[in-house]
Every structure is written in C-alpha cells, then in structure tokens.
Amino acid sequence: MNEPVKIKEAARMLRGMQDLLILTHKNPDGDTLGSGFALWAALRALGIRARVHNEGEFPAKYGFMTGPYFERAEEFEPRHIISVDTAAVKLMGEKTAAAYARRVELAIDHHGTNEQYALSLTVCDPGSASCCELIARLIDALGVRMDTYMANCIYTGLATDTGCFKYSNTTADSHLLAARLIGLGVDFAQLNRIFFETKSRGRIRLEQMALAGIEYAAGGKIAMITITQEMLKRAGCDHSDIEGVTPIPRTIEGVELGVTLRELENGNYKVSLRSFELDSAKLCALFGGGGHKRAAGFECSGTPHDIKAAVVAAAEAEMAK
Amino acid sequence: MNEPVKIKEAARMLRGMQDLLILTHKNPDGDTLGSGFALWAALRALGIRARVHNEGEFPAKYGFMTGPYFERAEEFEPRHIISVDTAAVKLMGEKTAAAYARRVELAIDHHGTNEQYALSLTVCDPGSASCCELIARLIDALGVRMDTYMANCIYTGLATDTGCFKYSNTTADSHLLAARLIGLGVDFAQLNRIFFETKSRGRIRLEQMALAGIEYAAGGKIAMITITQEMLKRAGCDHSDIEGVTPIPRTIEGVELGVTLRELENGNYKVSLRSFELDSAKLCALFGGGGHKRAAGFECSGTPHDIKAAVVAAAEAEMAK
C-alpha cells in the first residue's frame, strides 16, 4: 500500500465528516481502544463530534481512557461510521455488524487479513506492530497537536500489542514513537503496571491449581496443564484469566511444546498448543484443528489422560522427524 | 556530571591502554555483562586486548555473549583495570576486590550511589536506565562501528535493566537507542524470550507451592507468601528463582503491600516487602531493616504466623494514617 498517501487521504476524509461513530472490535484490547479514544480526542480537538462504540463493555482497566471520554461524550445520531483495528465484520460483534457494518466508510487497521469491507478507504499497514502507530500518524496528518491523553491512548496500543516491545512485531518505528510519547509525558510506568504486572486473585488461584497438576513428557520437551470446569469455578475466573494461563507451559526452560487442556461446559476439551520451532498448526490439523505455527488449537472429546497421550505421541513423532 | 566530555575522556584513556581487565559485578546481570562484553568487542575492533572478569561463573543464559568471547579470549597479564556497572568495591566480590579494587583506573556506571573508587575517572550517569546506554555512547566516542554482537550485548543491558522498557527508569533515549539497535539487526525477540519468558522447572514448582499458601489481610490490600527451606529443597531452586517469586504478591489486583517470608538456613526469616504508595522502607525500619520506598526488607526470628501478624499490624497502622 502507498501508506503516507492513504493516511493523508484518511485525514482529508475525516476533516469533512461530522458526528462519527468509531467502531472497535469485540473483546476489546488495548490497541483497538487506544486507537478509538486517541482518534476521538483528536477529532474533538478539531470540533468534530465522535463516539467510540464497542459491542460489549469497556474493561475497567482502561478507565484512564474511558473516564475523560464519558465526561465529555455527547449523544447524537451517527452520520459517518469508521472502524479501527478491526480486520473483519464478524469481529465487530453481531449487533454492531448488523447495524453498522455496511456503512463503514473508512477502516484503519494493521492486520494483513483485513477483509477490505470499508466502502471508501482502507488504511491497512501490516508492518505496523499496532494500529495505534497508524493513528499517531493520522493525528499528525490531521494537524492536531498530540496531548497527554492521546499519548497515553497511543502508548497503550503500542505497548499491549508488542508485549511491551518484547515481541518480534516490534519495529524501530515502534521505539521511535515510544520515545516521542515519553516526551509528551505519557505515564508509561503506571500503564505498564496495569497491563503487565497485575493479575486478578482468580488468575493467581487458577495458576496455582494448574501448575499443581503440571506434567512433563518427551524428556521435558513437552509440558501440559489441565483446566477443568471445577477449577474455574473454585478459582472464580473469567475468560481473560484463562488466556493468561495458557502460555505458561511453553515458558518453562527446555520446553518446546506447551499444551493446555481446558474442559468446556459441554464436557469436551479445548486443547491449546504453543511452540517455538515445532509446527503447532500441523499437529492440531491431525486432530481437526488449526491455527498458527506457534499457537494453534483443536477441540475434542475424551479423558484428559487419553487426549494428552495422543498429543504426546503425535508431537514425539513430529519431533523425531 | 559533564557527561559527553567524560565519555570522550574515557574513550581517550581506553585508546591509550593495552591488556585491559574489565570487571563486572558479582551475581552478574544482563547490564553488567552486556556492558563488559560490548566494550570487550569494541576494544578488540581497535586491536586492544581485553578480558571480561567476574567473581563467579557467567550464567548460561548469556551464552550468546560468552560463546564468541571464549572462542577469542586471550591469556595475558592485565596492565589496566576498569569496571562497568559496579557501584562499590564490595560488589566486585571478595577475591576480585582484594586483587584489583585499588587498581581500577576507570569506572563506567549508572548508579547514583557509585562510591567513586576509580583512580583516574568515573563516568557515572544516574539518568541512564542502564550502564549499556553509556557503553553505546562510549563505543561511538571510540569511533568503532557497532556490529550485531555489540548491539545484542547493549540491548541485553537496556532490556533487562528496564524490565523491557516497562519501568519508570526508561527514558526517551532508551527507546531511541533500541530503535538504533533494531536497525543493527539485534535479535530482540529471541533475547526477550530468554530474559522475560523463560522460567526454570524449579521456579515453576516454587511458584506453585508459594501460591498454594498465599494469605490475604487488610481486606485484600496485603498479600503474603512464605518460602521455607523445605520448599526450596523440594523445588530444587537457586537464588535467582527466589528473586523471581518475591515480587508476585504485589502483582495481585488490589494488593498494596506484598510480603514474602523466606526461611534462612539458620532458621531466621528474611522478610521482603514490595509496595507502590506505602513506604516499605519505613515499615522495615520498625523491624530493624531498610531499603527503598517500594522494596525493602528485614531479617528476624519467630514463627511465620507471628511475623506476619506483626507486619500486618504495622502495615494497617501505616495505611490508616
């Protein structure tokens, strides 16, 4: 894509709009919300009314974004619809998609899988680690001076989508933007504490229970944990807590394949594989599942004992190749 | 300090030296080793022989630094001694201090507490998050082109001392340097996996055992764990594993004071306090200990039950103020 040109085009479009609805993806993360609220604040600085929309609730940990927003939010009938960090219509959520998907004029995104559903313009740069990096450039193109609120929003997307600059998607540009945001007074230490160093009590309980039952196989190259419905009940966990526990087996020294079995409400098991060099997607395909090379999954019935034995046998065969 | 001038002066000194011993601090971390090996490589590029010295062993996880070093290391009788990231003579280790402390000509450091033990020049910038940031500037001042090996070493110190750019010591300059290092081909995703996403099996066992016994007080504002000698034996842990577990109680949502009791070999307890707003140093002073506002400790005798009760009583009194 010819990106700088498209950013300028997006800025020109936005300047001509009024009463915007900014769609964020369901199960919202730091990047979609950071993008949405930073853009809301920038438009507001230009006298353009906008609202940030999500199919569900805004999670409490993003209160530093939503607090100032709700103080100033205005009711109006949206005349223009745009989306941020949302690769596909189905990611908007059912109600949102039904109401607005066909009216999205501008989509700003960084997923290579963007479905190009926007009517007028899709600004999509898969080379950007976060959508917020594109929003920062859009704010510049709009001629808006970035304030600390916008900087905090942008930093949020940048930090959360890169695992705080840890992951391979981080670029030199990500760091250059972070340097600029620090210059703008972003409260990064406090934000990072919220995003990366805070676990719920339920999450702590679930971790403890899952680790108590950890099993190793293939001479320590495979580590497996099981999360049952009963454990979830006892721990008092929500979905995001489970997401935090799933990567743990792979973080253990010497482990090449981390396996997490999660009992579903219907009694089946959701099996999540995490690897480095081993192809998790290929392994999961053997069980009717799929995903990415380093993170894949499948669903199946059976006892944890049998499921683990089958995964270990398949993984050992693959490792022996 | 007049830092750019001092960096230039250090470069001038080093260019006139030959057969250098570079001292790193005991219990070496990523910053002291990254500083030492990056400087070794830069001096080598100038035809200056040097060795990196540590009182103990180089930990295996820094093999990407030590591997190429041991391949090329030469034996020689050191003629000049310098130190990196070492604030005090006692941090060199006993044997090292006895042999070399009085001969250190140049110290490069970033601790505000540097004891100014160097004979000729101390380059100390407490505003730098890592000593490696000073080494990067020194390499530039030496006129050496930074290669990927040096970049990996520098990144190591930068990332490990800032918690991968999470902590408040991170500066805009830290990010600008990271951007430059990525441009030099630093293998940051792999390095960060080693530093931040790998736990030993012993550490996993210790976490599980410690979390199984977690206790809350003050309506969830205090979380406490206990690590006994028996747990350490069962888990098969080393010192760095314990260090990784100590911060856990404070990471729990709603917790303002994290308390870790560790049974010592003599039967006493080392009590570590971690807080945000509450003054841990002040609390520890009540028990004859001390430290920083957010991280302090003390040693005492007694049963875990009584020690916890005393800490909770003191903390609740302080919270009520």
Side-chain angles (χ1 to χ4, degrees), chain B residues 23 46 109 138 164 170 178 200 205 234 251 301 318:
Chain B
L23 306 183
L46 292 170
D109 190 20
L138 182 55
C164 213
T170 310
S200 72
R205 279 189 291 265
R234 266 169 54 208
T251 65
S301 58
E318 192 60 33

Side-chain angles (χ1 to χ4, degrees), chain A residues 53-55 89-90 92-101:
Chain A
H53 175 84
N54 190 271
E55 177 95 356
V89 165
K90 68 174 180 189
M92 294 173 189
E94 252 178 70
K95 279 187 214 164
T96 304
Y100 301 118

Side-chain angles (χ1 to χ4, degrees), chain B residues 7-157:
Chain B
I7 294 264
K8 273 188 198 158
E9 203 180 326
R12 205 161 37 232
M13 276 180 70
L14 288 169
R15 281 185 159 279
M17 290 179 176
Q18 186 53 267
D19 295 349
L20 263 81
L21 195 68
I22 304 170
L23 306 183
T24 55
H25 68 69
K26 67 177 177 181
N27 300 320
D29 60 10
D31 197 25
T32 199
L33 295 182
S35 296
F37 288 108
L39 186 54
W40 162 75
L43 293 172
R44 197 173 175 276
L46 292 170
I48 300 170
R49 281 204 301 193
R51 273 209 317 270
V52 181
H53 175 84
N54 191 270
E55 177 95 357
E57 303 267 301
F58 296 120
K61 68 176 163 183
Y62 301 111
F64 65 94
M65 292 185 196
T66 54
Y69 168 77
F70 284 124
E71 275 171 28
R72 290 171 187 80
E74 296 174 76
E75 278 304 310
F76 57 83
E77 185 54 38
R79 299 208 316 232
H80 298 278
I81 318 289
I82 71 169
S83 76
V84 290
D85 195 42
T86 305
V89 165
K90 69 173 180 190
L91 298 174
M92 294 173 188
E94 250 176 73
K95 280 186 213 163
T96 304
Y100 302 117
R102 281 181 220 171
R103 290 176 55 196
V104 176
E105 291 168 63
L106 167 67
I108 301 155
D109 190 20
H110 71 124
H111 296 94
T113 53
N114 186 287
E115 287 179 353
Q116 307 282 325
Y117 55 81
L119 298 172
S120 300
L121 179 66
T122 300
V123 181
C124 181
D125 176 21
S128 287
S130 62
C131 187
C132 275
E133 294 176 58
L134 294 170
I135 299 293
R137 292 158 61 185
L138 182 55
I139 291 172
D140 292 342
L142 283 167
V144 172
R145 199 186 59 80
M146 203 185 286
D147 63 16
T148 309
Y149 175 86
M150 295 179 218
N152 279 327
C153 292
I154 299 288
Y155 186 88
T156 295

